[in-house]
Amino acid sequence: MMLLHINGNQRSFDSPENGADFTVAFLVQKLGLEGKRLAIERNGEIVPRGVFAETQLISGDKLEIVGAVGGG
Amino acid sequence: MHTLTIAGKTYGSRLLVGTGKYKDFAQTKAAIDASGAEIVTVAIRRTNIGQNANEPSLLDVLPPSEYTYLPNTAGCYTAEDAVRTLRLARELLDGHKLVKLEVLGDPHTLYPNVIETISAAKTLIKEGFDVMVYTSDDPIIAKQLEDIGCCAVMPLASLIGSGMGILNPWNLQIIIDTLNVPVLVDAGVGTASDAAIAMELGCDGILMNTAIAGAQDPVLMASAMKKAVQAGREAFLAGRMPKKLYSASPSSPTTGLISK
């Protein structure tokens, strides 16, 4: 069981069934955000898009997932 | 003469516009196109997770290939939050460096906290960002923001979203006369004459959102603002006639009048 704080809410996830690592890329897929333009911060540090597949998450991680919206 | 250069890039329009408060994306796009703006501000916010997955996004409506995005730090009250927000923006927009820094000091007036603003600007400039900075109309702070390396300084004309117009043209004039980087009025413009007044003072440009989005007809107001900014710029370059207090001067010949 993976507990993550995402955008201020705590959420729990099952680990990948094939025993693979729980990566940022896996999370993005789980959240249905694949292909969306977004940026992710993990525990205060940017996770570049290019390393989503290699970045392993651990329980308790705090994530911010953001996009661009209208603003002045 | 009419172009504006910010951080080494030249723009044809001196009007920069926000993308907030519109009825829908179609109106956002129509108003921005009517304004002629090339630089558009956007906010960085948490993605809605699990909701409306296929909803169009602002980036679909205003492709970053066609507009220069200016991600902002609206809603940030500390230097740390502003810096984090813009690091996320840079990642979101593929390494984009041009940003609008604003660090607020009070939720009621949205007045800038210039101490936090200076702190954030220093960090961002060290990290390679091109920082256009929202600030008060204090000429000393404006100069300091230039000195630490901001690529444009953007004093308020009045409070954000207030539409109260140009409340202290004298301070704006000092800032314009003192700084070498572009000075843009950001916040406070309410209608076209406000924009013209700011440009006549010699501002390099104007950034506005609510004056357009909050008009009864935003698309028509966007068109009006485009013209006002151009008119104000031309009037500034033309050099206005001196004011002659209590001394009228006829425009028509004083001789050759018919008589009885």
Side-chain angles (χ1 to χ4, degrees):
Chain A
M1 182 72 82
M2 178 76 80
L3 276 181
L4 299 171
H5 301 269
I6 302 173
N7 289 354
N9 296 310
Q10 184 167 295
R11 299 185 52 150
S12 61
F13 299 86
D14 293 327
S15 296
E17 284 173 7
N18 57 7
D21 292 329
F22 198 114
T23 62
V24 173
F26 178 75
L27 176 69
V28 167
Q29 181 204 327
K30 274 276 168 202
L31 295 175
L33 297 173
E34 272 176 316
K36 295 251 167 210
R37 191 186 273 262
L38 45 81
I40 300 183
E41 182 194 71
R42 176 194 180 209
N43 301 329
E45 301 285 335
I46 300 288
V47 183
R49 215 170 300 154
V51 300
F52 280 4
E54 296 113 74
T55 305
Q56 283 191 47
L57 295 172
I58 55 173
S59 250
D61 276 349
K62 287 191 169 63
L63 298 152
E64 293 287 349
I65 305 179
V66 303
V69 301
Chain B
M1 175 171 92
H2 292 295
T3 58
L4 170 65
T5 300
I6 298 172
K9 191 173 169 195
T10 299
Y11 303 91
S13 172
R14 290 175 178 271
L15 175 57
L16 289 67
V17 297
T19 55
K21 298 184 179 173
Y22 287 99
K23 188 179 70 180
D24 51 34
F25 282 151
Q27 191 185 58
T28 309
K29 166 99 171 118
I32 287 167
D33 287 349
S35 78
E38 293 158 72
I39 301 179
V40 298
T41 63
V42 295
I44 304 300
R45 289 292 181 272
R46 286 171 163 171
T47 297
N48 278 334
I49 289 168
Q51 297 165 18
N52 310 321
N54 295 313
E55 195 178 46
S57 79
L58 185 68
L59 287 96
D60 299 327
V61 182
L62 302 172
S65 54
E66 292 174 33
Y67 303 87
T68 296
Y69 269 45
L70 188 65
N72 70 25
T73 59
C76 290
Y77 285 82
T78 64
E80 187 194 356
D81 283 350
V83 169
R84 280 176 64 200
T85 298
L86 292 177
R87 286 176 184 149
L88 281 162
R90 179 158 65 177
E91 172 62 19
L92 183 73
L93 299 170
D94 304 321
H96 178 83
K97 285 164 47 180
L98 188 69
V99 295
K100 171 182 163 181
L101 171 66
E102 60 180 290
V103 186
L104 304 177
D106 169 59
H108 182 61
T109 61
L110 301 179
Y111 209 78
N113 179 330
V114 296
I115 295 167
E116 291 291 312
T117 300
I118 289 173
S119 166
K122 284 180 178 168
T123 305
L124 291 164
I125 290 161
K126 205 182 296 172
E127 294 185 11
F129 287 91
D130 293 325
V131 179
M132 300 179 71
V133 61
Y134 173 64
T135 185
S136 67
D137 62 3
D138 179 334
I140 306 302
I141 296 294
K143 182 66 183 156
Q144 286 185 12
L145 288 163
E146 173 180 86
D147 289 345
I148 64 177
C150 292
C151 67
V153 174
M154 307 197 291
L156 52 76
S158 49
L159 301 181
I160 294 173
S162 72
M164 290 173 71
I166 315 296
L167 295 189
N168 192 340
W170 307 103
N171 271 31
L172 291 177
Q173 190 74 70
I174 296 170
I175 293 170
I176 292 162
D177 291 347
T178 312
L179 270 56
N180 297 306
V181 296
V183 174
L184 289 83
V185 157
D186 179 3
V189 166
T191 188
S193 54
D194 297 334
I197 289 168
M199 294 306 293
E200 286 169 17
L201 289 171
C203 280
D204 294 284
I206 303 184
L207 201 171
M208 65 177 76
N209 191 152
T210 312
I212 296 174
Q216 297 296 309
D217 183 339
V219 179
L220 189 57
M221 185 57 90
S223 166
M225 290 299 187
K226 175 183 181 175
K227 292 164 186 158
V229 168
Q230 286 173 348
R233 177 66 183 171
E234 288 182 10
F236 168 71
L237 292 174
R240 64 154 296 145
M241 61 164 281
K243 282 184 186 173
K244 286 174 270 186
L245 296 181
Y246 315 115
S247 170
S249 166
S251 300
S252 306
T254 51
T255 57
L257 287 113
I258 58 166
S259 64
K260 274 185 188 167

